[in-house]
Amino acid sequence: MTTPGSDLHVSRRLVIPDAELRERFSRSSGPGGQGVNTTDSRVELSFDVARSPSVPEDLRARLLERLGSRLVDGVLTIAASEHRAQLANREAARERLVAALRSAAAPPPPPRRPTKPSRGAKERRLAEKKRRGDVKKGRRGRFDD
């Protein structure tokens, strides 16, 4: 659970202080009854990935590369408006920010080691092709009299 006002623990190497996060509140869209025009329950949570002092340099390069399409001038913004309560939307935005940063900061997968099909696999494939061809050949309407 990531509570508003506390630091975000993304990984052991990456902890974002609360002071580096910016929150903006606005009115949420959609139905909501009498209180819909008075409560600012929508939350926009912004984090400056490019200029944050808490992000290690090697990790910053990976984050900027993987989050490139979601960044505007190096700033990642998450909007949350699915709950009616502002506090719930603040928590949801923080959880989504942590999830996005965690997936972007994950190490790259190991390189694929190319392999070739075994001899038996090649022979089985060719035998199945031959069998399939024989089935189709038997369906042809040739009557030799």
Side-chain angles (χ1 to χ4, degrees):
M1 181 64 92
T2 57
T3 57
S6 63
D7 296 345
L8 287 181
H9 295 275
V10 177
S11 67
R12 283 185 288 136
R13 290 184 63 203
L14 181 58
V15 177
I16 301 169
D18 186 55
E20 291 187 27
L21 300 173
R22 286 193 318 272
E23 289 180 319
R24 249 184 58 198
F25 305 103
S26 61
R27 292 199 184 106
S28 198
S29 64
Q34 292 175 327
V36 74
N37 294 327
T38 59
T39 58
D40 291 339
S41 60
R42 182 175 188 267
V43 177
E44 283 185 16
L45 182 65
S46 299
F47 173 60
D48 193 347
V49 178
R51 290 174 280 285
S52 171
S54 60
V55 179
E57 283 304 317
D58 59 325
L59 197 56
R60 183 187 321 276
R62 189 184 304 163
L63 290 174
L64 290 174
E65 178 189 338
R66 292 189 180 170
L67 293 172
S69 62
R70 298 181 66 179
L71 298 177
V72 176
D73 294 330
V75 178
L76 176 64
T77 302
I78 305 283
S81 61
E82 59 265 17
H83 303 287
R84 288 181 64 164
Q86 186 189 82
L87 185 62
N89 282 330
R90 289 175 75 187
E91 290 175 358
R94 285 172 167 263
E95 288 171 8
R96 291 215 307 258
L97 178 68
V98 166
L101 291 174
R102 250 188 213 140
S103 65
R112 179 187 170 275
R113 181 181 299 163
T115 58
K116 295 180 180 175
S118 66
R119 183 174 170 187
K122 287 180 189 175
E123 289 174 358
R124 285 190 298 273
R125 181 181 64 84
L126 292 174
E128 180 57 32
K129 283 172 67 95
K130 179 78 175 145
R131 198 168 23 257
R132 204 64 204 134
D134 290 342
V135 167
K136 291 185 176 188
K137 193 181 287 183
R139 292 181 186 155
R140 290 187 195 150
R142 289 198 183 151
F143 299 104
D144 296 328
D145 286 325

